[in-house]
Amino acid sequence: MREYSIASIPADGIGPEVIAAGETVLKSLEKRVGDVKFNFETFDWGSDHYKKHGVMMPADGLKTLKKFDAIYFGAVGAPDVPDHITLWGLRLPICQGFDQYANVRPTKILPGITPPLRNCGPGDLDWVIIRENSEGEYAGAGGRVHRGLPEEVGTEVSIFTRVGVTRVMRYAFKLAQSRPRKLLTVVTKSNAQRHGMVMWDEIAAEVAEEFPDVTWDKTLVDAMTVRMTLKPQSLDTIVATNLHADVLSDLAGALAGSLGVAPTANIDPERRFPSMFEPIHGSAFDITGKGIANPVASFWTAAQMLDHLGEQEASARLMRAVEQVTGAGILTPDVGGTANTREVTEAVVDAIQSSNV
C-alpha cells in the first residue's frame, strides 16, 4: 500500500467547494486502484483566518507543511481583504518558501466543450505553459517613498538571475522534449526590457544547445496573444516569465473554454519540498455557495499531483474519467452546461468505478 499525506488548504470563495470535490474523486480512485491511499489534513488558512488573526496563515505555516508529500490548494482572495495581502500572505510564501520555481499549466480543449475560437477543436489547442514561479516581476523587490505626497514613488523591480532563468529554461526544454511535437516557444519582451529579458533570451539560446532534438522559437509577449488566438496549432510547450505566463495562461484557459477547467502545478523539481497543486480560476465570489463551481480544474490539478507522486496510472484513469464526463455533456454553466458541482463530481466518480475507464 502506497500512502501519501496531503495538506489540503481550501482557503477562499469556491476553493472549499472544488477541493471537497477533488478529495471525493481522489478517494474514489483509492477504491478503484486498490493499493494507494490519500491521507488529507485540512488547514483553515485564508481570508477568514486573516480577519480573525491578522495573518493569512500562522508564522510556522511552512514548517507545518514541509512534512507533507503534496499540497492541494483551493483559491485565495476575498472582496473585503486587499488582494496583495491575500496573495503575499498565503500563496506566494508557499511557492517561494518551498522554491516551487516551475509553475506548470496544461491547457487543452476537453471533449464536449465548445471553445470560443472559430474552427478550433480537440487536438488543435493542446499546450503546456511553464511559468517561472520564483522571481521575475513577482520577486517582491521594490518599495514606496514619500507616501501621500505629490512626489510619491512606487517601484517594482523585476529580478532575473542566471540560476533562476537557467533552471526554468532547462525544465521547459526537458518537458518539451518529453512531448510528441518536441516544440518550445520562449516568450520574451526583450525589445523593450533590454536588461533582464535580453539575458532571458541569451540563456534560452544557451540551454537550447543541450537539447538539439527540440525545435524552439521566440515570440514577443504581445505578439504571443495574437499567435495563441489566430494560430493555436503553431504552439505546444511555452515558457514565460512570472508575469507574462500569469496573463497568458488565463488567456489559454479562456481559449479552451473556461478558467474552470484550467489546472496548475507549482513544482519543486528537485523534490526538496512539497509541491503545490491548485486550479487557476481564483476564488470566484460571484458564484460562491451556489453549487455551480466547475470542479474539473481541481480534478485535473489532482491528476498533476498524482503524476508528481509517481501514480501515473491513477492520473491517466482520472483524466479519462473527466474526458468521458465532459464528452457526455455533463458540464457546469461556465462551459455551457446545466449540471452543478455535485452532479459533475458524481459523474466522474461513476466513470472512475466503471470498467471502461
Side-chain angles (χ1 to χ4, degrees):
M1 177 69 71
R2 299 180 302 281
E3 293 196 31
Y4 301 101
S5 59
I6 310 297
S8 180
I9 309 177
D12 302 333
I14 63 171
E17 300 172 45
V18 298
I19 292 301
E23 290 182 9
T24 297
V25 163
L26 286 168
K27 284 296 182 181
S28 176
L29 273 172
E30 276 185 358
K31 298 176 183 177
R32 186 68 173 87
V33 175
D35 58 353
V36 63
K37 183 174 177 57
F38 305 104
N39 299 310
F40 295 98
E41 184 174 342
T42 301
F43 296 90
D44 65 347
W45 304 340
S47 294
D48 286 343
H49 190 278
Y50 173 81
K51 285 180 274 189
K52 291 178 183 176
H53 305 286
V55 290
M56 294 288 289
M57 69 174 176
D60 62 350
L62 292 183
K63 182 180 178 181
T64 301
L65 294 175
K66 189 175 180 179
K67 65 181 180 181
F68 289 89
D69 295 310
I71 303 164
Y72 198 27
F73 190 90
V76 68
D80 53 351
V81 181
D83 288 341
H84 68 278
I85 289 177
T86 56
L87 187 63
W88 281 97
L90 186 57
R91 185 186 175 278
L92 285 184
I94 295 173
C95 290
Q96 295 187 352
F98 288 154
D99 204 15
Q100 298 165 347
Y101 64 82
N103 179 280
V104 183
R105 299 189 170 193
T107 305
K108 65 179 177 180
I109 299 171
L110 296 174
I113 294 179
T114 303
L117 288 178
R118 184 176 63 245
N119 301 322
C120 186
D124 293 325
L125 192 161
D126 186 354
W127 307 330
V128 179
I129 297 176
I130 297 98
R131 169 186 175 186
E132 198 292 312
N133 209 33
S134 65
E135 51 181 42
E137 303 88 348
Y138 294 177
R144 290 170 66 181
V145 296
H146 309 307
R147 286 176 179 261
L149 298 176
E151 61 269 28
E152 181 174 1
V153 176
T155 61
E156 204 74 52
V157 182
S158 297
I159 302 296
F160 296 94
T161 66
R162 174 162 286 274
V163 66
V165 177
T166 300
R167 66 185 186 177
V168 79
M169 286 294 175
R170 190 166 285 128
Y171 186 93
F173 272 95
K174 284 182 180 178
L175 185 56
Q177 189 181 52
S178 73
R179 286 169 60 82
R181 296 178 66 186
K182 299 185 186 300
L183 173 65
L184 177 67
T185 296
V186 177
V187 177
T188 185
K189 192 58 181 170
S190 50
N191 59 339
Q193 295 174 276
R194 58 195 177 98
H195 302 298
M197 294 250 61
V198 169
M199 187 177 80
W200 170 274
D201 292 352
E202 291 171 354
I203 293 174
E206 292 170 11
V207 174
E209 294 180 2
E210 302 173 23
F211 300 89
D213 57 333
V214 175
T215 301
W216 75 287
D217 59 18
K218 185 174 65 175
T219 301
L220 295 175
V221 64
D222 42 342
M224 188 65 174
T225 62
V226 178
R227 185 173 169 185
M228 290 169 68
T229 306
L230 298 184
K231 298 180 179 179
Q233 299 90 344
S234 72
L235 298 164
D236 185 81
T237 310
I238 301 159
V239 63
T241 70
N242 215 329
L243 173 62
H244 292 166
D246 190 8
V247 175
L248 294 176
S249 58
D250 274 18
L251 173 59
L255 294 176
S258 170
L259 290 185
V261 302
T264 305
N266 301 285
I267 302 292
D268 165 29
E270 284 72 45
R271 298 176 182 268
R272 299 156 296 171
F273 307 103
S275 293
M276 182 166 67
F277 303 84
E278 58 174 326
I280 75 170
H281 49 55
S283 50
F285 267 85
D286 56 326
I287 60 169
T288 298
K290 296 182 179 179
I292 59 171
N294 193 335
V296 167
S298 66
F299 300 159
W300 196 344
T301 199
Q304 289 184 285
M305 181 167 65
L306 291 170
D307 278 328
H308 184 72
L309 294 173
E311 298 292 339
Q312 279 78 19
E313 181 183 343
S315 173
R317 185 180 299 278
L318 173 52
M319 286 309 296
R320 288 196 300 268
V322 168
E323 293 189 10
Q324 179 175 303
V325 168
T326 60
I330 304 173
L331 305 167
T332 47
D334 61 302
V335 282
T338 58
N340 58 34
T341 309
R342 177 183 54 80
E343 289 167 339
V344 173
T345 303
E346 290 175 350
V348 172
V349 167
D350 289 344
I352 287 171
Q353 298 303 324
S354 69
S355 59
N356 61 343
V357 167

